Amino acid sequence: MTASLFAAEQGVGSKAIVLLHGFGGCHDIWREVISSMAPTTHTLAYDLPGHGLSLDFPAAGPAKVAARAVLADLTERRLRRVHLVGHSMGGAVATLMALAEPDKIASLTLLAPGGIGPEINGPLLRRYAGAQDRSEIRSCLAAMSGPSARPLDHTMDSLWEMRRRPGQLEKLVEIAAAMTMDDRQGVIPHDRLDGLNMPVMVAWGTDDAVLPFTQADDLPAHFHVHHVLETGHMLAEEAPDLVAEIIRRNTNRRARLHRQKFAAAAN
């Protein structure tokens, strides 16, 4: 609803699940994950600022801009609490949203999230940003995925159609250059992460060639971390059934604050 910000909405369930894609992606990468959920699941899959149908969002690029934009859009939609899912750059956006307005976030599910450690495969992301034809997009996706993964045809079609929009490639190149400057990424201070009281679940492929899965080693103890064997960075495409199950489990967990209160009452 926010000007120039697009979200594909479906389902009428009582839980609202917000899905944020990674760099160079779009809302359609969640298609297989959504189809693995219950048919009535209420989902909003966004095109982040600077991507797809949100290409023209003002000042698109930084994760903090995307975080403010999605929060504002959720307010316009009168959604008071949502379950938030973010992949890669979308994971950094989701984390910033949870830090900014924790009362609005019922749970936080992060898939190989950005902003956790400084290491990032800058050359691969910059190559992906400038990929101009199907074969190069497919080659980049293969490099970002596990050894047995195969890019889905509908994902290829969606990414190809997105990049055909005037100005899209240039915007992706601009965002990638800023995001991978000196082949390092910005890091969200870990002491701030420790204050997140909603259920937080992190999934990371052990063959991730973009962000090393060892970045999860120093996360707060109350974060539930899943190492997904023989998968790479593109978890939503590589293991959609597993991702759907992880989301389902996390949205059914109680907040840490509630558990602490229950434990105190029991004592």
Side-chain angles (χ1 to χ4, degrees), residues 2-201:
T2 297
S4 302
L5 189 68
F6 174 81
E9 185 172 13
Q10 67 182 66
V12 294
S14 58
K15 290 181 179 179
I17 299 177
V18 171
L19 303 160
L20 307 178
H21 63 77
F23 169 73
C26 64
H27 69 277
D28 201 48
I29 67 103
W30 300 106
R31 183 189 300 187
E32 298 296 320
V33 173
I34 293 172
S35 68
S36 296
M37 295 177 176
T40 58
T41 303
H42 180 197
T43 60
L44 287 100
Y46 280 86
D47 279 352
L48 292 178
H51 293 74
L53 298 176
S54 301
L55 173 61
D56 298 327
F57 193 90
K64 61 183 180 181
V65 171
R68 287 196 295 264
V70 177
L71 284 170
D73 190 68
L74 293 175
T75 297
E76 288 187 28
R77 293 174 185 271
R78 298 183 179 180
L79 290 171
R80 297 180 61 185
R81 272 172 74 78
V82 300
H83 296 272
L84 196 52
V85 182
H87 169 240
S88 195
M89 184 178 79
V93 174
T95 304
L96 292 175
M97 290 173 62
L99 290 169
E101 296 192 32
D103 291 342
K104 184 171 282 188
I105 310 305
S107 71
L108 183 63
T109 304
L110 305 173
L111 312 176
I116 301 302
E119 301 85 5
I120 190 170
N121 191 335
L124 177 54
L125 287 176
R126 291 191 291 271
R127 176 185 158 205
Y128 179 50
Q132 298 188 44
D133 55 50
R134 289 178 182 269
S135 63
E136 182 64 4
I137 295 171
R138 185 178 296 275
S139 176
C140 290
L141 290 176
M144 290 189 281
S145 303
S148 61
R150 296 290 182 271
L152 299 173
D153 288 340
H154 77 77
T155 300
M156 288 294 305
D157 292 342
S158 296
L159 296 178
W160 169 242
E161 288 299 322
M162 182 184 88
R163 287 161 181 261
R164 293 178 64 188
R165 295 192 67 202
Q168 180 65 86
L169 273 177
E170 293 81 359
K171 190 62 181 179
L172 291 179
V173 168
E174 174 192 324
I175 294 173
M179 185 171 61
T180 66
M181 188 177 298
D182 299 323
D183 291 333
R184 311 289 277 182
Q185 66 169 334
V187 176
I188 300 168
H190 282 207
D191 59 340
R192 296 190 66 198
L193 299 179
D194 193 52
L196 293 174
N197 286 318
M198 73 286 295
V200 182
M201 198 169 286

